[in-house]
Amino acid sequence: TSFHGTTALQHAVLLDPKSPVAGAIVLKDIRHVDELVGGWTMKLLWVGLGFGLLLTLLAGPLVRVVVSRPLHAMMHGVEMVSSGQLEVRLPDLRADEFGRLAKAFNGMTASLREERARADHEASTRAVLEARMRRLQTLAAAGEVAASLAHEIGTPLGTILGRTRMMAGRSETSE
């Protein structure tokens, strides 16, 4: 309420709690409360702005440590794997999503290394088998040439041998 142009607070107090007849009304000037609240409002505004500025200044390094560095390390690892370097291992000590991602990345590169080793082993085995196959094909071709030569040489020799035996069996031929 307003009392002679000032802000006042009105209280009704019972003097005897057993009898509702006795009571008192107290009027109090609360202008100083308004001034106090107004001062606190400005102070709280400045404290809030200062706290916001402090959080902004601290957030940069914190984000850099918590997010940017692990993300940069993962990007570097992905670039190395895409260039064929599968020996990359990311630190996976964290218990957050970055740690889980690093563990999955490390598992993926280990699997890729195993597959590459298996593919290299299969390629070397295939190369050995292909070399053996070429040798066998060369030997088979040499055998065919030898058989063909034997046939070409053997046929006239067989004819000569047969006629020689036939002539040796006749008595009228001289030695």
Side-chain angles (χ1 to χ4, degrees):
T1 60
S2 183
F3 181 71
H4 296 295
T6 63
T7 304
L9 180 64
Q10 180 178 358
H11 293 284
V13 180
L14 293 176
L15 296 176
D16 185 8
K18 296 178 184 170
S19 167
V21 177
I25 294 178
V26 178
L27 291 176
K28 202 175 206 188
D29 183 14
I30 59 168
R31 212 176 348 182
H32 72 284
V33 173
D34 287 341
E35 292 170 1
L36 188 62
V37 168
W40 285 351
T41 302
M42 285 307 291
K43 287 178 185 175
L44 284 175
L45 178 66
W46 284 111
V47 166
L49 286 174
F51 189 66
L53 181 63
L54 180 67
L55 282 178
T56 302
L57 292 175
L58 292 177
L62 185 64
V63 167
R64 192 173 309 114
V65 168
V66 173
V67 177
S68 295
R69 284 184 188 164
L71 194 56
H72 177 71
M74 285 183 195
M75 285 301 300
H76 180 69
V78 168
E79 290 168 352
M80 289 181 71
V81 168
S82 69
S83 70
Q85 299 175 21
L86 300 179
E87 294 74 30
V88 179
R89 181 156 176 80
L90 297 178
D92 57 358
L93 302 176
R94 293 174 57 162
D96 60 359
E97 286 79 12
F98 284 116
R100 289 178 46 215
L101 186 59
K103 285 178 185 172
F105 180 86
N106 292 338
M108 177 192 69
T109 55
S111 175
L112 288 172
R113 281 192 302 270
E114 290 171 7
E115 289 300 318
R116 177 183 279 176
R118 189 174 58 150
D120 289 346
H121 176 70
E122 288 175 359
S124 66
T125 302
R126 184 174 36 253
V128 167
L129 290 174
E130 287 174 355
R132 283 184 189 167
M133 185 69 127
R134 282 191 296 276
R135 273 187 250 127
L136 291 174
Q137 287 173 342
T138 303
L139 288 174
E144 287 178 16
V145 168
S148 176
L149 281 174
H151 177 69
E152 292 296 325
I153 293 173
T155 300
L157 287 178
T159 303
I160 292 172
L161 181 62
R163 289 193 179 173
T164 305
R165 284 186 185 155
M166 188 174 69
M167 286 170 66
R170 288 189 190 164
S171 58
E172 69 251 7
T173 40
S174 64
E175 288 185 24

